[in-house]
Amino acid sequence: MEKFIDLHMHSTRSDGSFSPKDVVAHALSVGVSIISLTDHDSVAGVAEATAAGDEVGIGVVPGVELSAQVGKKDVHILGYFIDPEQDDFKAYLKKFQDARVERAEKIVEKLNKMGVRIQMAQVMAKAGGAAIGRPHIADVLVEEEAVFSANEAFYKYLGYGKPAYQPKYTMSPAEAIEVIHASGGLASLAHPILYSQDDLIPQLAKVGLDALEVMHIKHDAKSVKKYSQAAEQNGLLKTGGSDCHGDGRGDAVMGQVKVPVEFLEAMKDKLKK
Ligand code: AMP
Ligand code: FE
Ligand code: FE
Ligand code: ZN
């Protein structure tokens, strides 16, 4: 069987439903040989995933997914081979995580003003120490029967332009790239298809972006081809992954995006230089 890897996935340390250990177990069950755990604004699961990977022979690349803002758009920058123990990096992540808590408080206030009665304590409990995101609020809304599904929660309240929408702490993609570089990592622009703004690719290439996520669950064959060409034209490496969030809100999609191990080898070559 051909070996393939998956460089984009989430655990309970952000908005995924599998613990870091279960992420590794799932990778093993679907035939992925090397993963990167890329929780939103958190590296808290990397050590657990690495230890679990060592036991069963799955390679774990330390990763993270940082949120940046371009205008009103949320642009995600993946970081690979970052040092999860580095103090500056940890301080940065702490700042983002604190900002997420403040933002969640504002969202809860907005919901309360609209007569949707949920409490911040419920949201904190749902996140269980993970980086708080709108999916946790959506889960509480479902539990409280304010909506039927997380999707409806986003559509009615939490999504961009909806009444309880609250922007996140803003950082430019250039800053996110800098943070990743400062901790020894490589930066890749996540799921470009979601931004409908392809000129972001040359723009970010100029400020030090290393790679482009050409393979992703939302990229069909045509998009993979298009973004592979964009990567080549802009001197970027290629990355790819499923963006699996576990099976809590839909299916676990790990294993559905078959990323070749060559992508990772090219990344390691660049780091050696
Ligand atoms: P946040 O980090 O708080 O901005 O939340 C972003 C996360 O919300 C994404 O990573 C998705 O997992 C989730 N999300 C975004 N839009 C939707 C939607 N329409 N339905 C369900 N989940 C969504
Ligand atoms: Fe997510
Ligand atoms: Fe993302
Ligand atoms: Zn993701």
Side-chain angles (χ1 to χ4, degrees):
M1 202 170 66
E2 205 181 338
K3 216 173 140 175
F4 65 95
I5 66 173
D6 186 334
L7 301 177
H8 189 161
M9 61 191 66
H10 300 269
S11 76
T12 46
R13 306 319 302 227
S14 62
D15 58 355
S17 71
F18 295 148
S19 68
K21 195 167 173 250
D22 289 343
V23 162
V24 170
H26 197 77
L28 187 68
S29 76
V30 295
V32 178
S33 60
I34 301 172
I35 63 165
S36 181
L37 181 62
T38 53
D39 276 314
H40 297 285
D41 298 345
S42 174
V43 287
V46 170
E48 183 184 322
T50 306
D54 284 348
E55 269 181 35
V56 296
I58 299 262
V60 177
V61 174
V64 72
E65 183 172 21
L66 300 181
S67 306
Q69 223 84 32
V70 175
K72 302 248 173 208
K73 264 182 211 150
D74 216 1
V75 169
H76 290 174
I77 308 287
L78 294 158
Y80 294 112
F81 296 105
I82 33 104
D83 175 2
E85 293 308 320
Q86 203 209 37
D87 287 338
D88 281 357
F89 187 66
K90 282 201 287 198
Y92 258 110
L93 292 185
K94 172 88 172 59
K95 194 163 101 181
F96 303 146
Q97 284 166 11
D98 290 349
R100 279 176 170 276
V101 173
E102 281 170 35
R103 170 188 183 231
E105 281 166 347
K106 287 189 182 141
I107 294 176
V108 169
E109 265 172 44
K110 284 184 178 175
L111 288 167
N112 288 342
K113 279 198 186 124
M114 282 185 282
V116 183
R117 300 264 158 231
I118 63 162
Q119 273 155 25
M120 190 57 193
Q122 292 173 286
V123 177
M124 296 292 276
K126 188 52 84 181
I132 290 193
R134 286 174 290 167
H136 301 118
I137 301 176
D139 283 350
V140 174
L141 289 170
V142 173
E143 245 170 49
E144 289 296 316
E145 297 181 353
V147 291
F148 290 108
S149 66
N151 238 326
E152 190 189 346
F154 275 86
Y155 186 77
K156 249 173 115 168
Y157 300 116
L158 307 175
Y160 176 68
K162 299 300 154 96
Y165 179 75
Q166 179 70 32
K168 257 187 291 208
Y169 168 79
T170 27
M171 165 170 64
S172 70
E175 276 175 272
I177 293 167
E178 209 179 295
V179 169
I180 290 164
H181 283 170
S183 73
L186 293 175
S188 181
L189 177 63
H191 38 61
I193 193 135
L194 298 186
Y195 316 128
S196 349
Q197 193 189 333
D198 288 345
D199 61 355
L200 267 179
I201 300 164
Q203 279 168 24
L204 298 185
K206 282 196 197 97
V207 294
L209 186 72
D210 303 285
L212 184 65
E213 190 173 53
V214 303
M215 296 179 80
H216 184 270
I217 195 78
K218 297 254 166 78
H219 289 185
D220 60 12
K222 218 174 117 198
S223 303
V224 173
K225 198 171 160 200
K226 175 177 131 180
Y227 290 116
S228 298
Q229 281 168 350
E232 279 151 29
Q233 280 161 6
N234 290 282
L236 298 170
L237 297 171
K238 292 178 262 188
T239 71
S242 62
D243 207 351
C244 181
H245 280 72
D247 57 5
R249 310 174 184 91
D251 295 336
V253 293
M254 211 191 297
Q256 292 180 22
V257 179
K258 297 191 168 33
V259 179
V261 71
E262 286 76 23
F263 284 12
L264 186 63
E265 281 156 11
M267 291 160 79
K268 286 183 181 164
D269 285 345
K270 174 156 185 179
L271 278 173
K272 272 190 224 136
K273 279 175 197 155

